[in-house]
Amino acid sequence: MGNRSSIISPRLLPTIHQNPYAYTGGRWLNRDELERTSRYIQFDFSALCDRAVHACPGAHRVVKHEKREGGFNRVFLLTMDNSACVVARLSTPIAGPPRLTTNSEVATMTYLQSKVSLPIPKVLDWSDDSSNPVGAEYIIQEHVKGVQLHQLWPTMNSEQHMLCTKALSLAMKKMAALDFPAYGSLYFSDAPIDTRAKIPLEQGFCIGPHCSPIFWNRNPGETELYGGPSPDCGPWRGLESYCRGLIETGFSRLPKEEAIFDELPHQGSIRDHIYLLNTSQEMMQRLVEDKRVQDAAAPTLLHPDFHMRNIFMSPEDPTIITGLIDWQSTSVEPAFIYANETPDFAALPEESSGVSSHCEERDRKDASICYQTYDVCMKGLVPKLRPARLLDPTFFRLFHYCHTTWRDSAPAVRQELIELSARWNELGLQGLCPYSPSDEEVKSHATDYEDFETVQKLKAWLKSSLHTNSDGWVPNDVWGAAKDAHRAAYDEWMQTARESEAQGDGLTVEKANKMWPFDAR
């Protein structure tokens, strides 16, 4: 690692607590070492600062740096000796395929800036070739002005919430109005992709392979578990080929050896998953023949994570958008993939289990207004999304889950197949349903699905009580307390299992231990 002090003040060189290469933003209650090592980036921090200085006319050195961590990126807020401030971002190895992830993100931002008036930060310098002097792919972009919406939201009144929701819905309208010839990810025309995997868009741009880590098996531990990427990452000119890509991806995510993956009782064998994937393919082939599904499948590009933490607003007027960040893994999808997702700023509140206070009632009413505003905008102002939002979501759930059957376990996708089969005629689908489960299969599934739901409830309980996410991530400053609380929760769960086993109720200690979602105990 070079330390060229000419471009960064010696007193600001990274300390062990600011380690730019390792993930230091928190710990995980599950697979902690794997999660952290999967986010290690080997690069030259001084060379990155050098590129940032060159991107700021009149600057000579970095005088202040602040490291920020994301699940898929390492971010540095760099301040120069002329007060200029830029953001330098590096993708972690789990963010997606090398070169394609960076090229696609920059191309997407550049394309959108040329087409719509949205406050997308300007890219000042970038490289998708890790053989550059920095030693890693990077993007250097403008520092967005304003305040993240999640910080402003609690201080805003009901009218501001509604107007903010409307403004953000109109931003989505602008994105969704753009037309594309295929499904996949955007790239520059000279991206390092086989020519056969490029579909021309406009001068300088093309549609290429989908760069989501799901299609490339890039999440922590997946390289060892599954091997290489899906044999079909796109691009796809039509809905039928898109569906084949999902199924091929599902097959690519099945482990190669059965014996070493006996963890969850309801996981299902590799043979079970092969059967589910083949059945899903038959069902989707019939679904894509339905004109209602075809009408809801227009190639559509929207921000992949359109939530408060990626939205910056003016502190003087929180209804004015000042920045939209984190365009990584943006893709062109069938409209129905986006249609029924609701951003957190428009989400309905959870139902209260008891008597509500005046403030809770007010917050629920406020959230309901935001949801209605968002729903009206999506149905009335975004023609591509309207057909899907008006259809029963049962039409589309298989498209969301079929390619992740192994990760989510067999009951998750089998439940969708059984429900679709049961409602086939009710939904107005033509002909005989290609899947008709036997009574024995339905009965066996009911037991497995109960176990699946138990695990989901455990995760939800732990997320709430330990203030973590579904992966068990917690900030460093509460790591010790979270481990202790987690251990107490585990002990309580196992005591419940011991009592159940003693009474012959079906939940054994061995089964309960396997069902526990985190391992830091």
Side-chain angles (χ1 to χ4, degrees):
M1 296 294 172
N3 288 330
R4 296 191 293 275
S5 58
S6 61
I7 50 85
I8 181 168
S9 300
R11 63 187 177 84
L12 292 174
L13 290 175
T15 68
I16 190 170
H17 301 294
Q18 301 167 319
N19 186 338
Y21 319 112
Y23 182 90
T24 57
R27 301 287 295 273
W28 279 264
L29 291 165
N30 194 46
R31 309 189 309 172
D32 180 55
E33 183 176 357
L34 173 63
E35 294 283 358
R36 288 186 289 122
T37 56
S38 295
R39 291 167 170 81
Y40 185 88
I41 307 174
Q42 185 76 31
F43 71 103
D44 187 326
F45 181 71
S46 290
L48 180 67
C49 291
D50 192 16
R51 295 308 307 161
V53 169
H54 279 83
C56 297
H60 297 91
R61 68 172 65 226
V62 174
V63 296
K64 181 182 178 182
H65 62 84
E66 179 183 345
K67 174 186 172 184
R68 298 179 181 177
E69 300 274 17
F72 295 102
N73 294 284
R74 186 81 25 82
V75 178
F76 299 96
L77 190 59
L78 305 174
T79 304
M80 308 297 162
D81 54 356
N82 65 349
S83 298
C85 187
V86 298
V87 173
R89 297 174 57 248
L90 299 93
S91 298
T92 64
I94 62 173
R99 303 204 68 178
L100 301 192
T101 303
T102 301
N103 191 292
S104 178
E105 181 172 6
V106 177
T108 299
M109 295 169 72
T110 306
Y111 183 79
L112 286 173
Q113 286 167 333
S114 73
K115 290 293 182 181
V116 294
S117 58
L118 290 174
I120 300 170
K122 181 181 178 182
V123 174
L124 306 174
D125 186 23
W126 67 284
S127 173
D128 62 359
D129 186 351
S130 61
S131 66
N132 63 51
V134 175
E137 300 172 42
Y138 66 87
I139 299 173
I140 297 173
Q141 61 191 47
E142 291 177 322
H143 179 232
V144 172
K145 296 180 180 179
V147 180
Q148 283 176 296
L149 181 54
H150 75 88
Q151 295 177 300
L152 285 176
W153 195 261
T155 69
M156 295 162 60
N157 61 39
S158 295
E159 183 182 13
Q160 289 173 323
H161 283 164
M162 185 273 289
L163 292 173
C164 178
T165 300
K166 181 179 178 181
L168 292 168
S169 299
L170 292 176
M172 293 181 68
K173 173 190 175 184
K174 292 179 181 179
M175 289 182 260
L178 298 172
D179 293 323
F180 299 95
Y183 310 116
S185 296
L186 268 68
Y187 297 91
F188 290 111
S189 295
D190 60 355
I193 303 169
D194 190 306
T195 304
R196 293 169 294 181
K198 292 180 179 179
I199 297 176
L201 178 58
E202 292 182 11
Q203 185 172 5
F205 299 95
C206 67
I207 305 290
H210 201 301
C211 64
S212 166
I214 286 179
F215 288 92
W216 297 81
N217 297 321
R218 300 289 297 187
N219 290 323
E222 287 188 348
T223 301
E224 295 78 12
L225 182 61
Y226 306 127
S230 166
D232 186 359
C233 300
W236 307 282
R237 288 189 179 273
L239 192 54
E240 288 188 21
S241 57
Y242 175 85
C243 291
R244 286 196 297 271
L246 295 180
I247 295 299
E248 290 292 341
T249 299
F251 279 117
S252 77
R253 296 170 72 82
L254 298 181
K256 310 307 177 191
E257 299 179 41
E258 186 91 58
I260 59 173
F261 298 105
D262 182 26
E263 295 182 4
L264 293 170
H266 57 275
Q267 173 67 45
S269 67
I270 293 175
R271 180 178 296 179
D272 291 335
H273 286 267
I274 291 173
Y275 170 73
L276 288 171
L277 283 165
N278 285 328
T279 303
S280 296
Q281 185 172 25
E282 290 183 50
M283 294 285 268
M284 289 196 299
Q285 283 174 345
R286 297 293 294 278
L287 286 171
V288 300
E289 294 171 359
D290 192 289
K291 188 176 186 306
R292 293 168 295 175
V293 174
Q294 295 171 7
D295 290 344
T300 305
L301 182 144
L302 288 176
H303 191 291
D305 194 11
F306 203 59
H307 295 289
M308 292 187 190
R309 67 182 179 276
N310 291 327
I311 300 168
F312 285 73
M313 310 297 288
S314 166
E316 290 78 27
D317 183 351
T319 67
I320 296 176
I321 310 168
T322 60
L324 301 174
I325 67 168
D326 196 3
W327 294 87
Q328 191 174 72
S329 296
T330 303
S331 55
V332 179
E333 305 278 358
F336 59 69
I337 294 294
Y338 294 116
N340 289 298
E341 294 181 0
T342 303
D344 52 3
F345 57 81
L348 285 171
E350 295 181 3
E351 289 296 325
S352 174
S353 57
V355 178
S356 301
S357 67
H358 175 70
C359 289
E360 289 173 330
E361 287 289 349
R362 183 193 62 203
D363 290 345
R364 260 199 296 277
K365 183 178 179 180
D366 186 17
S368 179
I369 292 172
C370 289
Y371 176 82
Q372 292 172 35
T373 300
Y374 177 78
D375 188 51
V376 168
C377 288
M378 292 302 103
K379 289 178 179 175
L381 302 178
V382 186
K384 286 184 181 178
L385 299 188
R386 184 188 304 123
R389 288 188 72 87
L390 292 174
L391 273 183
D392 191 306
T394 307
F395 278 96
F396 309 119
R397 290 198 187 108
L398 266 184
F399 298 91
H400 286 278
Y401 303 130
C402 67
H403 54 307
T404 57
T405 66
W406 187 262
R407 183 194 69 183
D408 298 334
S409 78
V413 71
R414 190 185 292 115
Q415 176 69 18
E416 303 304 337
L417 290 169
I418 290 175
E419 182 175 351
L420 188 56
S421 172
R423 300 187 60 198
W424 190 263
N425 293 330
E426 176 194 340
L427 294 170
L429 291 162
Q430 299 300 306
L432 291 175
C433 177
Y435 173 63
S436 181
S438 65
D439 292 342
E440 182 181 348
E441 186 176 352
V442 172
K443 183 178 179 180
S444 175
H445 167 73
T447 301
D448 288 343
Y449 195 69
E450 184 178 351
D451 289 344
F452 170 77
E453 286 194 309
T454 298
V455 173
Q456 304 314 306
K457 289 175 182 176
L458 278 173
K459 284 186 177 181
W461 175 50
L462 290 170
K463 283 173 63 178
S464 175
S465 59
L466 303 180
H467 305 290
T468 181
N469 64 12
S470 58
D471 295 325
W473 180 90
V474 293
N476 290 317
D477 56 353
V478 298
W479 170 243
K483 279 203 303 181
D484 292 343
H486 176 254
R487 178 71 208 192
Y490 171 75
D491 289 343
E492 181 181 343
W493 167 248
M494 295 307 294
Q495 180 59 34
T496 301
R498 282 189 286 272
E499 294 171 359
S500 175
E501 186 171 9
Q503 296 171 5
D505 289 342
L507 180 63
T508 65
V509 170
E510 180 183 7
K511 183 177 181 180
N513 187 56
K514 286 183 177 181
M515 293 173 76
W516 190 256
F518 300 154
D519 61 18
R521 54 181 186 264

